[in-house]
Amino acid sequence: MATARVLTVANTSCLLSKTTSFLAKQGPYSTSLCFTRRRAASSLSSSSRRSFACTAIYNPEVQIKEEGQPETLDYRVFFVDRAGQKVSPWHDIPLQVGNGVFNFVVEIPKESSAKMELATDEPHTPIKQDTKKGKLRYYPYNINWNYGLLPQTWEDPSLANGEVEGAFGDNDPVDVVEIGESRRKIGEVLKVKPLAALAMIDEGELDWKIVAISLDDPKASLVNDIDDVEKHFPGTLTAIRDWFRDYKIPDGKPANKFGLGNKAANKDYALKVITETNESWAKLVKRSIPAGDLSLA
């Protein structure tokens, strides 16, 4: 049985023109992408100041519609607009909210172990449980934070990152680890501010982890950069790194590695990562880069 719940998503977008509706018939990517005029600056501080300077244009509302039963191969969490049409949480939910705040789509609630992820190769990119050899995948232990993705970002598998051992992107949206105290729901869209970035290298692929906090968390006003995380959430950055380093070991796989000196980078660097992967996503949806099996619907 399908269920639905209403969520108010973003009130701004850097990516659609004023003439584009939430799901225009011609597709949401036929208009100019204004952020491409603001390339990442060579200075990290300049990047954080100059990026995402576009104007609020619409205030969409989406519903979450579940199909199938949780913890089955058929379970999907779809997003639908006000007209009841399916939309993509990856392509159609705006990245930028404004004033350094971003939309974050929850895939895995904290204190759970089902490995939920965006089905990037399925129409409308719903959330599903990952599988291996036809069986549902679970982490060997619960994840301790809310986990999900930044919409309208993409880690380009054809692009080598010279700052992170020349690793190529993992072909997915950028991951977010949200450190707030509340346990969120699958498909919930939160407004978050980035605080740090970890450069995980998973079987040779670069898999960024942006550490962020939801604006409605009681400690949100206290944390604005990496040093604040260490002060108000002591040990959390190390715990996140160690969790993602070790979670495959119980399955007999080697530990994941991390670039950037095995340490978390600061907020400015996290914003640089978001800028670059947002630009990669724009090239993807404009068909400047081959999409392969990815769904752009």
Side-chain angles (χ1 to χ4, degrees), residues 14-49:
C14 224
L15 300 171
L16 305 177
S17 78
K18 292 183 179 180
T19 60
T20 306
S21 65
F22 183 42
L23 271 183
K25 291 182 180 180
Q26 70 271 24
Y29 317 116
S30 58
T31 54
S32 62
L33 302 173
C34 60
F35 70 89
T36 59
R37 297 195 298 269
R38 292 172 170 83
R39 309 297 292 181
S42 57
S43 164
L44 296 187
S45 59
S46 295
S47 174
S48 66
R49 289 195 304 268

Side-chain angles (χ1 to χ4, degrees), residues 176-222:
V176 172
V177 183
E178 195 276 318
I179 62 175
E181 67 177 21
S182 297
R183 184 178 189 269
R184 305 297 184 159
K185 297 178 180 180
I186 297 173
E188 192 169 355
V189 181
L190 305 178
K191 293 179 176 62
V192 301
K193 53 182 177 180
L195 304 168
L198 284 160
M200 190 175 93
I201 303 173
D202 182 356
E203 298 182 14
E205 296 180 335
L206 180 55
D207 187 3
W208 287 106
K209 309 297 180 189
I210 301 296
V211 179
I213 190 166
S214 178
L215 293 192
D216 63 2
D217 188 81
K219 291 186 178 180
S221 63
L222 302 176

Side-chain angles (χ1 to χ4, degrees), residues 84-239:
Q85 300 296 311
K86 288 179 178 177
V87 299
S88 168
W90 181 17
H91 303 308
D92 297 319
I93 291 177
L95 169 63
Q96 169 76 335
V97 176
N99 297 322
V101 179
F102 299 83
N103 280 318
F104 157 57
V105 180
V106 179
E107 294 169 299
I108 305 174
K110 68 187 296 185
E111 307 307 332
S112 64
S113 63
K115 194 175 185 303
M116 309 300 296
E117 66 175 17
L118 207 70
T120 57
D121 58 348
E122 296 183 12
H124 311 297
T125 64
I127 297 172
K128 68 172 185 177
Q129 188 166 351
D130 190 21
T131 60
K132 184 177 182 180
K133 296 181 179 179
K135 294 184 178 180
L136 298 172
R137 291 188 65 188
Y138 294 85
Y139 291 123
Y141 29 73
N142 285 350
I143 189 168
N144 302 316
W145 311 274
N146 297 300
Y147 187 56
L149 66 114
L150 287 174
Q152 299 183 341
T153 61
W154 180 57
E155 298 176 71
D156 184 351
S158 69
L159 185 64
N161 191 309
E163 297 178 357
V164 188
E165 302 181 19
F168 291 84
D170 72 346
N171 203 32
D172 282 324
V174 171
D175 295 327
V176 172
V177 183
E178 195 276 318
I179 62 175
E181 67 177 21
S182 297
R183 184 178 189 269
R184 305 297 184 159
K185 297 178 180 180
I186 297 173
E188 192 169 355
V189 181
L190 305 178
K191 293 179 176 62
V192 301
K193 53 182 177 180
L195 304 168
L198 284 160
M200 190 175 93
I201 303 173
D202 182 356
E203 298 182 14
E205 296 180 335
L206 180 55
D207 187 3
W208 287 106
K209 309 297 180 189
I210 301 296
V211 179
I213 190 166
S214 178
L215 293 192
D216 63 2
D217 188 81
K219 291 186 178 180
S221 63
L222 302 176
V223 286
N224 294 290
D225 210 326
I226 189 169
D227 293 337
D228 299 325
V229 179
E230 294 292 358
K231 179 178 179 180
H232 297 284
F233 295 84
T236 294
L237 293 173
T238 298

Side-chain angles (χ1 to χ4, degrees), residues 234-256:
T236 294
L237 293 173
T238 298
I240 292 171
R241 183 200 62 196
D242 292 354
W243 195 97
F244 283 99
R245 181 192 64 195
D246 298 339
Y247 80 89
K248 291 186 175 181
I249 293 177
D251 292 331
K253 293 186 176 182
N256 289 317

